[in-house]
Amino acid sequence: MRFSSHFSSRTHANLIYTGVAIASGGVALYTPLIVSQTGLKFSGFWAASILFGLNLGRVAGAWLGTRFPVIANHPFSVSGNILLEGIALYCLAFLDQAWALALFATIAGLGSGLSFPGLKFFLLKLRDLDQSALFARLSMSIRLGLVAGYLLAGWIPHDTMQLVFLIVLLTFTGYGILMLIAMRGIVQKEQLSADPESLHGHPAQQVHAQFSPRAVNPQADLPWLFYVSNAVFWCLAMQPNISLSLHIPHFTPSIPVSTPFWVGALVIIALQMPVSKLAVRDQDHFRFLRFGYLGLLAGFATLVCFPQSAAAVIAAAVFISFGQIFYGPSLDVLTARFADKTNADTGRLMSRQMLYQSSGSMAGSLSGGILFDLAQRLQLPVLNWAALATLALVMCWYSYRKIPALYKQAVHSQRQ
């Protein structure tokens, strides 16, 4: 790709956002279908094992990314890992045994765990763009794709899973291509900016400081409990992906299983950018972390009170979406700002964040199936939602009392 003097950070960011949206559509297309079909054919445990496998692979991929950054942050590696995920997902269409579905889901997760931190790594190289807006737009792109995928899942014949997963493979192929184009442009701009001699005789004579490499402190890292809080949030936020997919056919069969997911995604699309613009200071973002847990608490409490109401299912999805609107981008911004303040390795921090996020999602996907099966066995249909509401309440207090203090202490200690 020949480098252009008219490099546009916005254009390259939009290429990444478009790829993410396309791939998210593929994820939304297959996830409710494969989970609900596996739950009906086998059990809630085996349905949960698919998402468990995905997140187990993401944990392994994120861990490898922290140990060997080149396999997570090189442009060809990122695109190759995206393609690995798409191929592994395509194989799910031809498998009939639950353990095989979980195994190939794990391979797909490995590709995801290696590629997504790399995506954030390259986004953060666009230093002339606001970090809050970067991550808010990333979240919105994911939700736009999810809405399209959920709606598409409503009319594609469910008995032709080969067609479903062929579409998924095509979405990930397009995602990988767009990412590669964007990443190569960003790398070439960074190389050009780092070599002023190459600018002689070039129309663009100025070197943009935002692309200049900075000294890295490899020891700088966020506190362990900060990451644990992130893991717990995504453990709770992942629960509805399993629990609602199993809950709806049993208790509210009047609505399609994909309904609460696309409704929640629409809420995020409508409100993500306006809400994210409200957070400017670090303190605002810490407040948004608490609001994230409060959103989850409200959603789970609604289902405790009205487990057999279709309207309550949709309302719960809206509350949970509010939680993700507040929490996700703010956590990304706080992580990126910590890297800037302490000269930490941004790619390593993002991989470590992905490691804990995927660990929480892995625990949430497995426990969601187990809790649902236990609730049915004990004939207490609200048991799983009550347990989740209790944990969300505890984390509301923890995120208020502990998280800001831990973060500020880590910044202070690394600066000394």
Side-chain angles (χ1 to χ4, degrees):
M1 181 175 118
R2 189 174 182 273
F3 183 75
S4 170
S5 61
H6 302 292
F7 179 89
S8 169
S9 294
R10 176 66 62 205
T11 298
H12 284 71
N14 287 338
L15 284 173
I16 295 175
Y17 297 145
T18 302
V20 169
I22 292 172
S24 297
V27 171
L29 174 61
Y30 85 83
T31 302
L33 300 181
I34 196 71
V35 169
S36 59
Q37 286 193 11
T38 305
L40 291 172
K41 187 176 181 180
F42 297 99
S43 67
F45 170 81
W46 282 113
S49 72
I50 295 175
L51 294 187
F52 176 84
L54 277 169
N55 288 290
L56 175 62
R58 287 169 182 161
V59 168
W63 179 82
L64 288 172
T66 63
R67 297 296 300 273
F68 310 102
V70 68
I71 65 174
N73 298 333
H74 190 280
F76 287 111
S77 296
V78 174
S79 292
N81 291 323
I82 289 170
L83 188 59
L84 171 65
E85 182 177 3
I87 293 172
L89 290 174
Y90 182 60
C91 292
L92 296 182
F94 304 95
L95 303 173
D96 294 323
Q97 295 179 316
W99 66 266
L101 292 170
L103 174 62
F104 276 81
T106 303
I107 297 172
L110 179 66
S112 176
L114 285 168
S115 64
F116 206 70
L119 177 151
K120 291 182 178 180
F121 175 75
F122 278 96
L123 270 180
L124 286 171
K125 286 179 176 291
L126 303 174
R127 295 182 177 272
D128 55 333
L129 300 181
D130 178 68
Q131 290 177 341
S132 298
L134 276 177
F135 291 117
R137 289 191 174 95
L138 177 62
S139 177
M140 189 172 67
S141 299
I142 293 172
R143 303 305 162 178
L144 282 169
L146 291 176
V147 169
Y150 290 138
L151 293 177
L152 186 61
W155 63 269
I156 285 186
H158 296 180
D159 56 343
T160 57
M161 293 301 286
Q162 288 87 352
L163 174 61
V164 169
F165 283 101
L166 175 60
I167 296 173
V168 172
L169 176 60
L170 293 175
T171 63
F172 276 87
T173 302
Y175 173 30
I177 292 172
L178 290 173
M179 276 296 300
L180 184 60
I181 294 171
M183 290 184 295
R184 290 192 66 189
I186 293 170
V187 167
Q188 289 185 31
K189 174 60 180 180
E190 189 174 43
Q191 291 173 343
L192 189 62
S193 297
D195 182 14
E197 294 299 323
S198 66
L199 293 178
H200 286 300
H202 197 278
Q205 292 293 322
Q206 54 183 343
V207 179
H208 297 286
Q210 66 267 24
F211 287 99
S212 300
R214 58 184 175 88
V216 171
N217 176 10
Q219 302 302 320
D221 202 358
L222 284 159
W224 177 71
L225 288 174
F226 184 89
Y227 289 118
V228 169
S229 175
N230 183 34
V232 174
F233 178 87
W234 291 108
C235 174
L236 293 173
M238 176 57 65
Q239 294 279 340
N241 288 354
I242 288 293
S243 300
L244 286 181
S245 296
L246 299 171
H247 181 96
I248 290 172
H250 284 82
F251 299 104
T252 59
S254 60
I255 59 173
V257 71
S258 62
T259 299
F261 300 108
W262 67 257
V263 169
L266 281 177
V267 171
I268 293 177
I269 291 169
L271 299 177
Q272 184 69 81
M273 290 305 298
V275 168
S276 296
K277 289 179 180 178
L278 298 176
V280 178
R281 304 166 300 159
D282 283 354
Q283 187 57 44
D284 298 328
H285 290 290
F286 286 123
R287 185 179 297 113
F288 278 13
L289 298 187
R290 296 195 293 273
F291 289 167
Y293 276 113
L294 285 171
L296 298 185
L297 174 61
F300 299 144
T302 299
L303 289 167
V304 169
C305 298
F306 309 101
Q308 295 184 328
S309 167
V313 167
I314 295 174
V318 171
F319 285 131
I320 292 167
S321 296
F322 268 107
Q324 294 182 36
I325 286 172
F326 284 112
Y327 192 92
S330 285
L331 186 82
D332 286 332
V333 170
L334 287 170
T335 302
R337 288 184 179 176
F338 178 85
D340 289 339
K341 292 174 181 178
T342 63
N343 289 331
D345 185 335
T346 305
R348 181 172 173 269
L349 283 186
M350 288 301 176
S351 289
R352 188 174 291 268
Q353 179 183 318
M354 182 73 175
L355 173 65
Y356 280 86
Q357 178 176 327
S358 298
S359 298
S361 298
M362 180 177 65
S365 59
L366 184 62
S367 61
I370 294 174
L371 280 174
F372 183 84
D373 286 345
L374 179 63
Q376 306 319 301
R377 180 170 297 181
L378 297 178
Q379 298 184 346
L380 296 171
V382 301
L383 174 65
N384 54 329
W385 303 119
L388 298 177
T390 301
L391 182 55
L393 180 61
V394 171
M395 292 307 298
C396 285
W397 176 87
Y398 183 80
S399 62
Y400 173 71
R401 300 290 298 179
K402 295 292 185 181
I403 292 300
L406 288 171
Y407 182 92
K408 293 171 184 176
Q409 181 180 357
V411 171
H412 179 71
S413 64
Q414 294 297 334
R415 281 178 166 176
Q416 290 183 335

